[in-house]
Amino acid sequence: MFGIGGGELVFIMFIVLMLFGADKVPEIARTLGKTIAQVKNATNDIKSEIHKGIEDNGLDAKSLTDMSGSINSKINKATEDVLGDTVTQANKIKEDIEDVSGPVKRQM
């Protein structure tokens, strides 16, 4: 948990106990738990509002996935159209060089 080991956690609990006393620790823990629950509820409310806004605009996860897939396929097609011949020629030249010289090895 957060990169804190067992011994470190015990040490932190000991320091908290020494600073606040045994009677205040349960109250602090209860307050901390309530605060964490409020933050969790607030983030869930924000998520639901975002999803509601997306659905109100006619978008959902499937349509976004379809849209991004369409955009990616168009980008790939354009890349192949522009660079297709260049990549093919570069691969052929690379193969020709490897056939002639073999793999290059460093000498120490």
Side-chain angles (χ1 to χ4, degrees):
M1 175 171 81
F2 305 115
I4 297 175
E8 295 166 337
L9 190 59
V10 169
F11 181 73
I12 291 171
M13 289 171 56
F14 177 74
I15 296 297
V16 168
L17 185 62
M18 294 299 289
L19 288 175
F20 298 108
D23 55 335
K24 294 273 186 175
V25 172
E27 182 182 331
I28 292 171
R30 196 174 306 117
T31 305
L32 185 62
K34 287 180 182 178
T35 304
I36 290 173
Q38 288 176 348
V39 169
K40 185 177 179 181
N41 289 336
T43 56
N44 287 337
D45 289 342
I46 291 170
K47 285 180 186 178
S48 66
E49 288 294 322
I50 290 171
H51 286 292
K52 182 180 175 187
I54 288 172
E55 290 173 1
D56 289 346
N57 289 324
L59 299 174
D60 59 354
K62 186 179 184 310
S63 65
L64 291 175
T65 303
D66 293 343
M67 200 180 318
S68 66
S70 171
I71 291 170
N72 284 336
S73 66
K74 289 179 182 178
I75 289 172
N76 290 337
K77 185 179 181 303
T79 303
E80 287 177 13
D81 290 345
V82 172
L83 299 176
D85 293 334
T86 307
V87 171
T88 304
Q89 291 174 355
N91 287 336
K92 186 177 181 315
I93 292 170
K94 179 181 173 186
E95 290 173 3
D96 291 342
I97 291 172
E98 287 179 354
D99 287 342
V100 171
S101 65
V104 177
K105 295 181 181 177
R106 289 188 185 185
Q107 296 179 352
M108 295 217 170

